[in-house]
């Protein structure tokens, strides 16, 4: 090599490499060559940087497409759960959830629905480029990038790239949301199926209620949960299963009144109160009983048109905790629970009848083995006293003289 010239490849003031040219001739390069080659080097640097960005973006999109349940689904969940969702931020060190990031360009891109470019003369954080994430003519967020060199404007190529990427991100998030919903629905169906199988194995009412609570806890927030039974003959409510602040407790039975539980029993319909619970109860003419809830959901436990009771969940601190999907899930749980309660009650009734028949047989057998009147009477009162768990059992006989006297 007789001649050599090296030119830096720079992107936004950062050297990403070198363009080197060599010749076997002496003095092969002139000042004009330097100008031409430096222009080429600048274009090459931008092209390389853009290509790297496209490669990274395509790689991330492939990961989104393949790993909905891991990255994209969780990202969407964070986006959907936050009022001002910013998703994730990259700051040369790592990629992490954006907990607090104040960039005016993001707000402008979302509210105006257009790409926004700000520099130091307009923003305080260097030059910023933000574009809306648009899905079916609806803005669902914003994608923003920020550079440290505030006096350099964004090129048309950079703007076109981020807009193209934003379209793919919005589509990927939509696909991820659909995938996550499908996965969630499938898991809910599996849980409901497992609950139905578990309920079928419980032949006592107490066990059925415990199983129903465990099943509901896998699908909903059951920090505050109760099941009420309605006795139509006595017009009373009982509360055989109550959980408050994740602790089992007990509530005393009460006569039917005008509370929200009674409202569901009378209407036979579910009731979802997502916020302003007190105001909604007043509008429905329902009396507020107990501690005031911020969100409330209750459904009837019914067999056909007959309401056995109510299953309800509530939160004293979080409005909007339950939605229509939660209502449908609780309805399914209550429906399965109603069948299991009915079966358990029938089984217990059969068991009681079988126990009564067994007792009668035992008493009859002992009576037949008794040799005299005194032993017969003694056997009767002893067996009945034990069988019925009473303090006293009496047998009175009428004498012949009194029979003749009428």
């Amino acid at each position: 090599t007789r001649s050599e010239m090296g030119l830096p490849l720079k992107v936004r003031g950062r050297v990403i490499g070198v363009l080197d040219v060599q010749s076997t001739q002496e003095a092969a390069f002139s000042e004009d060559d330097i100008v031409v080659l430096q222009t080429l080097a600048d274009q090459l640097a931008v092209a390389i940087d853009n290509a790297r960005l496209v490669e990274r973006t395509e790689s991330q999109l492939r990961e989104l497409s393949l790993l909905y349940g891991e990255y994209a689904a969780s990202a969407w969940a964070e986006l959907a759960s936050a009022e001002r969702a910013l998703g994730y931020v990259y700051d040369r060190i790592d990629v992490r959830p954006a907990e607090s990031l104040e960039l005016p360009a993001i707000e402008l891109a979302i509210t105006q629905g257009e790409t926004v470019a700000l520099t130091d003369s307009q923003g305080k954080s260097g030059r910023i480029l933000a574009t809306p994430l648009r899905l079916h003519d609806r803005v669902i967020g914003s994608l923003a990038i920020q550079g440290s060199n505030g006096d350099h404007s964004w090129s048309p190529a950079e703007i076109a790239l981020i807009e193209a990427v934003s379209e793919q991100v919005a589509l990927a998030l939509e696909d991820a949301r659909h995938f996550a919903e499908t996965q969630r629905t499938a898991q809910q169906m599996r849980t409901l199926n497992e609950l139905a199988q578990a309920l079928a194995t419980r032949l006592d009412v107490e066990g059925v209620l415990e199983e129903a609570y465990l099943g509901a806890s896998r699908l909903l927030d059951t920090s505050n949960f109760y099941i009420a039974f309605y006795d139509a003959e006595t017009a009373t409510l009982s509360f055989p299963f109550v959980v408050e602040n994740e602790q089992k407790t007990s509530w005393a039975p009460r006569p039917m009144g005008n509370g929200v539980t009674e409202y569901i029993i009378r209407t036979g319909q579910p009731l979802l109160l997502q916020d302003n619970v007190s105001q909604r109860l007043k509008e429905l003419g329902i009396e507020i009983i107990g501690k005031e809830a911020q969100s409330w959901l209750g459904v009837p436990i019914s067999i056909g048109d007959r309401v056995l009771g109510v299953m309800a969940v509530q939160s004293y601190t979080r409005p909007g905790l339950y939605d229509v999907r939660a209502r449908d899930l609780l309805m399914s749980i209550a429906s399965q629970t109603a069948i299991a309660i009915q079966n358990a009650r029938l089984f217990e009734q059969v068991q009681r009848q079988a126990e009564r028949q067994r007792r009668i047989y035992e008493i009859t057998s002992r009576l037949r083995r008794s040799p005299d009147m005194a032993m017969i009477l003694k056997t009767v009162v002893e067996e009945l006293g034990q069988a019925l768990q009473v303090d006293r059992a009496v047998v009175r006989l009428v004498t012949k003289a009194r029979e003749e006297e009428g």
Side-chain angles (χ1 to χ4, degrees), residues 13-124:
R14 179 170 58 91
V15 177
I16 65 170
V18 172
L19 172 62
D20 185 84
V21 292
Q22 303 174 14
S23 175
T24 58
Q25 299 179 6
E26 294 182 355
F29 306 110
S30 65
E31 293 294 325
D32 291 337
D33 293 327
I34 294 176
V35 173
V36 172
L37 289 175
Q38 185 61 65
T39 301
L40 176 61
D42 291 341
Q43 294 176 351
L44 178 61
V46 172
I48 291 173
D49 190 61
N50 288 344
R52 286 176 172 175
L53 178 58
V54 169
E55 288 176 356
R56 288 197 299 269
T57 302
E58 289 179 345
S59 175
Q60 291 174 352
L61 290 175
R62 284 194 297 270
E63 291 176 0
L64 285 175
S65 300
L66 296 173
L67 303 174
Y68 289 143
E70 297 180 8
Y71 175 80
S74 61
W76 179 265
E78 292 189 32
L79 289 170
S81 63
E83 292 183 0
R84 294 181 66 253
L86 295 177
Y88 287 81
V89 60
Y90 164 74
D91 65 357
R92 297 181 183 275
I93 299 174
D94 59 3
V95 178
R96 66 185 188 279
E99 297 176 355
S100 60
L101 183 62
E102 297 296 334
L103 295 179
I106 291 178
E107 297 291 344
L108 289 174
I110 292 175
T111 56
Q112 297 179 5
E114 298 177 352
T115 300
V116 176
L118 297 181
T119 62
D120 270 344
S121 61
Q122 296 168 294
K124 299 180 180 179

Side-chain angles (χ1 to χ4, degrees), residues 271-273 275-286:
L271 181 62
L272 170 63
L273 304 174
D275 52 23
N276 300 320
V277 175
S278 297
Q279 181 62 32
R280 289 283 290 118
L281 292 177
K282 291 179 181 178
E283 293 172 358
L284 294 170
I286 299 173

